[in-house]
Amino acid sequence: MSTVDPWISPGLQTNDLKALYEISRLVTSGESLRPIIDQLIRLARSIFIFDNIAMFTKQTEEILEPIFARAIGRGRWLEADLTWGETVAKEVYITGQFTSRIEALPGNEQDRNLLRYYLGLPVYISGSMGGVLVFTRFGGPPYLEDQIELANRLAFHLAQLIEYRRLNDRLTRLEERCKLGDMQEDFISMISHDLRTPLGLIKGYATTLLRGDAAWDGKTRHEFLMIINEEADRLQEMIDHLMDSSRLQAGTLSMNMQKVCLDHLIREFVKQALIRDAKIALSLEIKETNNWVQADSARIGQVFDNLLSNAVKYAPGSPIIIELGQENMMARVVVRDFGPGIPPEHMENIFRRFYRLPGHDVHIRGVGLGLYICRQIIHAHHGEISVISQPGQGAVFQILLPLDHQA
Ligand code: ADP
């Protein structure tokens, strides 16, 4: 009667080839690394018996770091220990040759777990020694020649997997850098265009006023100086927006939170806005009073300012209504205009950095940062800002801020 020894693999069988084929297919699949390694180990175990597998990769010239270890078979009752086979790994790394050795740990001689048969194989990544693969069998038996060949094939596939992943990561990083580079170029050309416009006007009018060969009457001088003044304000606003936006990105925009009465803040805001520009048809409706919130009043004022100047800019001549009320324990501020409104497909995007609706009149200036900054400020107050709009029927911006109950 012949007995079949399960440890001995009589050359490569069809099933071995199938498993190896499946392994090489896995290596180039787009799945993430961990599940692939798990599947790879499962497939490897179907053609080659082992209790533990550990992979070490080269971190620097001298340092080998374990990147994974799995205990299977008998070893699964023990905790997979990353240090199993570490000495074997170091030896293989130094010699560049596979090694097979037995380690007998002190303790009960009957305990098979203390008798470890190691097989260490070099893993060549991109043509040079990049790591070591170590198999462990508890209590034997020793590794036979054709098993070592199978193990070598597994090491080769693992090396391919690591190489493929590294290349993929490098490619992703490169793509990201290119994208960032493109974005930076777009950004620089957009910003320089937007900064140049007011700067050009300031320079042009100032040079004109300074010409020695022309005598300007008082009215013209005043008109030119007004333009210079307005354009300088615009420039200042753009630079402030850019600074705020980069501080928000870096998380360094500080907030000075205090207990604030929104009724008072908004009344004062409307009063000042009408003093600055008496022509705007701005009205205030306070539906509920005593709206106390925790806020940085300067930053919240900046949000109202931005919503109001957008309404003036994008809905010229339209009445603008600011409402203050409450909704679900939140203070609710609404800025409503009756201008062209915002098409539904753009409604969420307008809160993104540098997003502007296409096709604006060239005279309507802006860089698309105002609403992004508003949303970040409102989020820093644990509130929400949103827009509702029907094209042609105006835009309604709503801000919700948590009421301060201790008021
Ligand atoms: P900017 O005004 O500098 O372009 P914002 O971030 O303040 O940037 O606004 C983003 C875009 O949202 C604007 O470019 C405009 O297309 C649109 N928008 C903002 N407010 C209104 C409004 N009240 N009515 C119509 N469109 C608006």
Side-chain angles (χ1 to χ4, degrees):
M1 199 180 89
S2 73
T3 51
V4 178
D5 188 340
W7 296 102
I8 296 174
S9 161
L12 278 182
Q13 303 292 315
T14 320
N15 280 350
D16 299 346
L17 285 172
K18 264 195 196 156
L20 281 172
Y21 170 75
E22 184 58 14
I23 286 171
S24 56
R25 192 201 57 78
L26 258 180
V27 167
T28 48
S29 76
E31 280 183 57
S32 47
L33 196 60
R34 290 286 139 187
I36 292 193
I37 289 181
D38 285 340
Q39 286 191 62
L40 218 113
I41 292 172
R42 187 181 49 75
L43 283 163
R45 188 85 177 143
S46 72
I47 54 172
F48 175 71
I49 301 295
F50 54 89
D51 294 303
N52 187 65
I53 180 172
M55 173 84 190
F56 298 79
T57 54
K58 179 174 102 174
Q59 297 304 313
T60 63
E61 264 329 298
E62 279 112 52
I63 299 178
L64 265 188
E65 283 277 322
I67 59 162
F68 72 80
R70 293 277 195 292
I72 313 142
R74 270 173 232 149
R76 75 171 176 270
W77 304 112
L78 304 170
E79 239 179 55
D81 189 340
L82 283 170
T83 58
W84 287 345
E86 204 173 6
T87 29
V88 175
K90 282 189 182 141
E91 185 187 321
V92 173
Y93 186 66
I94 291 164
T95 61
Q97 305 289 326
F98 88 87
T99 187
S100 155
R101 68 143 83 155
I102 305 169
E103 185 184 49
L105 299 182
N108 181 356
E109 276 177 23
Q110 303 301 312
D111 187 351
R112 302 187 66 163
N113 293 326
L114 298 179
L115 190 63
R116 293 171 185 180
Y117 284 66
Y118 291 116
L119 175 65
L121 303 150
V123 175
Y124 287 92
I125 300 169
S126 308
S128 67
M129 170 76 119
V132 179
L133 184 65
V134 181
F135 292 98
T136 313
R137 285 175 176 173
F138 294 109
Y143 301 90
L144 300 177
E145 210 173 301
D146 57 345
Q147 295 172 341
I148 294 172
E149 194 196 318
L150 264 180
N152 250 323
R153 282 173 191 246
L154 290 173
F156 168 75
H157 284 303
L158 258 173
Q160 273 192 316
L161 176 65
I162 291 168
E163 194 166 347
Y164 183 72
R165 290 294 143 162
R166 282 190 184 163
L167 276 173
N168 237 3
D169 288 352
R170 269 179 62 193
L171 204 65
T172 315
R173 276 201 300 275
L174 264 172
E175 274 172 5
E176 274 165 8
R177 250 192 265 160
C178 287
K179 232 189 266 166
L180 202 69
D182 283 354
M183 270 173 63
Q184 275 169 347
E185 265 179 36
D186 285 356
F187 171 72
I188 290 168
S189 68
M190 186 175 74
I191 288 298
S192 22
H193 172 262
D194 282 306
L195 292 178
R196 257 202 217 122
T197 311
L199 209 56
L201 287 168
I202 292 170
K203 176 76 182 157
Y205 281 98
T207 311
T208 312
L209 281 177
L210 285 170
R211 269 173 57 178
D213 59 346
W216 305 105
D217 60 55
K219 188 166 165 275
T220 312
R221 280 174 69 86
H222 183 256
E223 203 180 297
F224 286 8
L225 285 170
M226 285 288 284
I227 295 172
I228 291 174
N229 195 33
E230 273 171 24
E231 294 303 320
D233 284 349
R234 207 160 274 161
L235 209 53
Q236 174 79 50
E237 186 193 323
M238 274 187 210
I239 291 167
D240 286 349
H241 275 183
L242 285 168
M243 292 297 289
D244 281 353
S245 158
S246 73
R247 283 194 199 115
L248 282 163
Q249 284 291 98
T252 54
L253 189 78
S254 59
M255 298 278 163
N256 177 18
M257 297 297 209
Q258 277 169 347
K259 197 155 81 180
V260 172
C261 180
L262 270 184
D263 318 12
H264 174 73
L265 190 76
I266 290 183
R267 261 198 212 102
E268 201 48 36
F269 169 76
V270 170
K271 198 167 111 191
Q272 292 302 325
L274 287 169
I275 291 173
R276 275 202 311 270
D277 185 356
K279 290 195 296 295
I280 53 172
L282 175 63
S283 58
L284 173 64
E285 293 175 12
I286 296 194
K287 299 190 165 167
E288 256 142 322
T289 53
N290 266 333
N291 297 290
W292 290 85
V293 291
Q294 279 293 327
D296 178 328
S297 45
R299 293 287 170 200
I300 291 291
Q302 186 182 342
V303 172
F304 298 155
D305 211 26
N306 196 78
L307 295 182
L308 177 63
S309 63
N310 274 356
V312 172
K313 225 166 35 167
Y314 299 108
S318 151
I320 302 164
I321 304 168
I322 299 185
E323 293 165 19
L324 174 61
Q326 290 178 10
E327 186 183 287
N328 299 329
M329 312 298 284
M330 306 279 267
R332 177 173 181 264
V333 183
V334 167
V335 178
R336 189 189 296 274
D337 68 55
F338 301 87
I342 298 154
E345 66 273 22
H346 295 288
M347 274 198 294
E348 253 316 293
N349 289 333
I350 58 172
F351 293 97
R352 283 175 33 201
R353 252 156 65 102
F354 304 120
Y355 194 88
R356 306 196 73 209
L357 256 64
H360 276 311
D361 188 323
V362 285
H363 302 296
I364 304 184
R365 308 250 190 89
V367 282
L369 283 174
L371 289 176
Y372 164 78
I373 293 169
C374 289
R375 179 165 270 183
Q376 302 303 312
I377 292 175
I378 296 299
H379 282 177
H381 286 75
H382 308 291
E384 270 307 327
I385 179 167
S386 54
V387 64
I388 307 168
S389 176
Q390 293 284 343
Q393 292 178 30
V396 181
F397 284 87
Q398 171 182 271
I399 297 167
L400 294 173
L401 289 171
L403 285 165
D404 185 351
H405 299 292
Q406 262 106 57

